[in-house]
Amino acid sequence: MSKLTGRERISRQLKHLPVDRIGAFEAFWQYTMRNWEQQGKVPPNSCPLEHFGLDIQLCAPCNMRIHPLSEDQLVSEDEDTVTLLDGNGATLRRHKKHDSTPEHLAFAIKEREQWLELAKPFLTADAATRLNRNAYRNARQQAAEKGRFFCWAGVNVFELMHPICGHENMLMGMALDPDWIRDMVNTYSELILQLQQELFATEGQPDGIWYWEDMGFRGRPFMSPDMYRELIMPAHQKTIAYAHSLGLPVIMHSCGFVEPLLPQMVEAGIDALQAIEVKAGMDLLRIDQQFGEKIALIGGLDVRPIANNDLPGIKRELENKIPIVKKHRGFILHSDHSIPESTEYETYLYFKETGLKLGTY
């Protein structure tokens, strides 16, 4: 088969059709690219998509904060961290010197009454404040010019709820006040669809939809399959059905151990799963055996040998997995999370080039 563009390749892989090679995509910590720039390995302000010839381009054009125009307010600062009050009324501590999940300190919303007063009335589909049309338009045009598969990207309902009330309050609500959770789920899913409809009508459709939806941690999902089916799955079905009505495939990113939820996620309609986090307990080969004919798989390649610049370990990881998972024609090369700052430039090149060589048909 002749060489395909990234758009052609990913479009075909999401349908399990023959391709020239497996697709390639990756996420990089901001300090990773910065380190490589300082070392002279990549030009200043390099775009990793362009530099490494990756196949997928994302654009997240929707501001889903309760107050989309609010600036983060400085609460305190020390040598290593900064504490901010954000537009969701959440107080978060972030590290200055490396990328990491912020520490959750406090939330203005802890239960239903506060949600009804402080959040729900403000979650309206005001395109002027919530849509970055220029970013979407420019990214869509760039992806078309470069032949990349272009995705509208954004968070779905689970990842929209916990930033306003915290995981603990949200999970307690799922158990003790499910009607509150249903109200948040319905409000956010409607907001997602209204903003997508407005954006696509004026700026054109993407090639696909990418949802971030981290529903697991190490060894466990955040909820049982039954609770997922009852409270979260209806929103996934609704938002995925809308994408499918436009002919758009849906890729769902979900960190952590989400394998117990996968049968329901597939039933909800996802076309691909990403990141398949090894250190959380996810097993790419096992998931491929169970679901590889039904959905595409993106990731599942342990990032720890990459982070440790362990070339023999990378080689073993790739050789043990890619020849097997490429058989369903839906596997896309990606680490099981993202490339951290400890990674040497040459190490990532080795990972990508070796992976694509093994993934050539």
Side-chain angles (χ1 to χ4, degrees):
M1 176 178 288
S2 59
K3 184 177 179 180
L4 302 173
T5 66
R7 183 174 185 268
E8 292 167 337
R9 185 176 296 113
I10 301 302
S11 296
R12 293 180 67 84
Q13 284 199 276
L14 292 173
K15 299 174 183 176
H16 302 273
L17 297 174
V19 289
D20 53 345
R21 63 161 172 84
I22 62 175
F25 186 49
E26 194 53 74
F28 301 85
W29 296 6
Q30 63 171 332
Y31 288 99
T32 306
M33 292 298 294
R34 188 177 302 175
N35 286 347
W36 294 344
E37 287 181 15
Q38 292 172 352
Q39 296 164 8
K41 302 297 176 64
V42 300
N45 302 313
S46 289
C47 169
L49 300 178
E50 188 74 22
H51 185 82
F52 295 114
L54 302 177
D55 292 322
I56 301 174
Q57 183 166 344
L58 309 183
C59 178
C62 298
N63 187 329
M64 304 297 282
R65 287 184 170 193
I66 296 171
H67 302 290
L69 298 181
S70 65
E71 300 285 342
D72 289 348
Q73 300 176 32
L74 180 65
V75 176
S76 64
E77 186 174 8
D78 58 31
E79 183 178 351
D80 297 320
T81 67
V82 59
T83 300
L84 302 169
L85 177 66
D86 72 12
N88 286 320
T91 304
L92 308 173
R93 182 183 290 128
R94 298 181 182 276
H95 205 282
K96 292 180 179 179
K97 300 177 181 178
H98 60 80
D99 294 330
S100 62
T101 302
E103 180 183 358
H104 293 180
L105 301 180
F107 296 91
I109 296 168
K110 301 181 179 68
E111 55 191 19
R112 189 200 302 213
E113 289 72 19
Q114 294 156 336
W115 152 259
L116 292 173
E117 177 186 357
L118 301 176
K120 186 174 180 178
F122 306 100
L123 292 170
T124 58
D126 180 7
T129 59
R130 293 195 179 276
L131 287 180
N132 189 336
R133 297 180 191 273
N134 287 337
Y136 179 86
R137 183 185 309 123
N138 293 338
R140 183 171 178 265
Q141 179 179 347
Q142 182 188 61
E145 292 172 352
K146 301 295 184 179
R148 291 192 281 261
F149 186 87
F150 176 63
C151 287
W152 175 99
V155 286
N156 211 297
V157 295
F158 190 85
E159 280 286 289
L160 286 168
M161 290 188 293
H162 74 72
I164 70 167
C165 60
H167 279 94
E168 183 176 349
N169 295 318
M170 178 183 65
L171 296 173
M172 289 295 290
M174 292 175 76
L176 302 178
D177 191 0
D179 286 340
W180 169 38
I181 303 302
R182 288 190 186 94
D183 190 32
M184 288 199 290
V185 163
N186 290 334
T187 300
Y188 275 122
S189 59
E190 284 300 316
L191 181 57
I192 292 168
L193 295 181
Q194 289 168 13
L195 292 174
Q196 286 180 342
Q197 289 164 1
E198 169 67 21
L199 183 65
F200 300 163
T202 58
E203 301 296 339
Q205 294 182 191
D207 299 314
I209 301 292
W210 180 293
Y211 282 124
W212 287 291
E213 192 77 313
D214 290 347
M215 296 186 290
F217 55 103
R218 189 183 297 271
R220 297 286 189 277
F222 279 112
M223 73 210 89
S224 69
D226 287 344
M227 189 168 281
Y228 169 80
R229 179 178 290 277
E230 178 186 353
L231 296 177
I232 307 299
M233 184 175 168
H236 286 175
Q237 289 175 311
K238 181 165 63 174
T239 53
I240 293 170
Y242 173 66
H244 286 173
S245 75
L246 302 179
L248 303 178
V250 174
I251 300 166
M252 185 165 285
H253 162 99
S254 196
C255 283
F257 187 73
V258 295
E259 192 171 341
L261 308 181
L262 259 182
Q264 289 83 9
M265 293 168 68
V266 172
E267 183 182 343
I270 66 168
D271 297 284
L273 175 70
Q274 193 268 344
I276 315 175
E277 195 173 2
V278 177
K279 57 187 173 293
M282 299 288 278
D283 186 316
L284 176 62
L285 297 183
R286 184 174 65 234
I287 292 169
D288 176 71
Q289 185 177 27
Q290 297 176 13
F291 300 100
E293 294 182 352
K294 298 177 180 178
I295 59 172
L297 301 174
I298 308 172
L301 299 168
D302 197 339
V303 78
R304 288 172 291 188
I306 304 171
N308 294 328
N309 299 293
D310 174 10
L311 299 189
I314 294 171
K315 188 171 186 284
R316 285 193 301 271
E317 181 75 359
L318 296 173
E319 289 181 342
N320 287 341
K321 294 180 177 179
I322 290 181
I324 297 173
V325 296
K326 79 175 192 178
K327 293 177 181 177
H328 289 129
R329 299 183 298 211
F331 178 73
I332 296 167
L333 182 74
H334 197 297
S335 69
D336 72 333
H337 197 270
S338 51
I339 305 299
E341 60 200 66
S342 63
T343 306
E344 298 291 342
Y345 175 78
E346 292 78 10
T347 298
Y348 176 69
L349 277 184
Y350 178 81
F351 168 77
K352 175 180 174 285
E353 292 171 359
T354 305
L356 293 187
K357 183 177 180 181
L358 289 166
T360 298
Y361 291 93

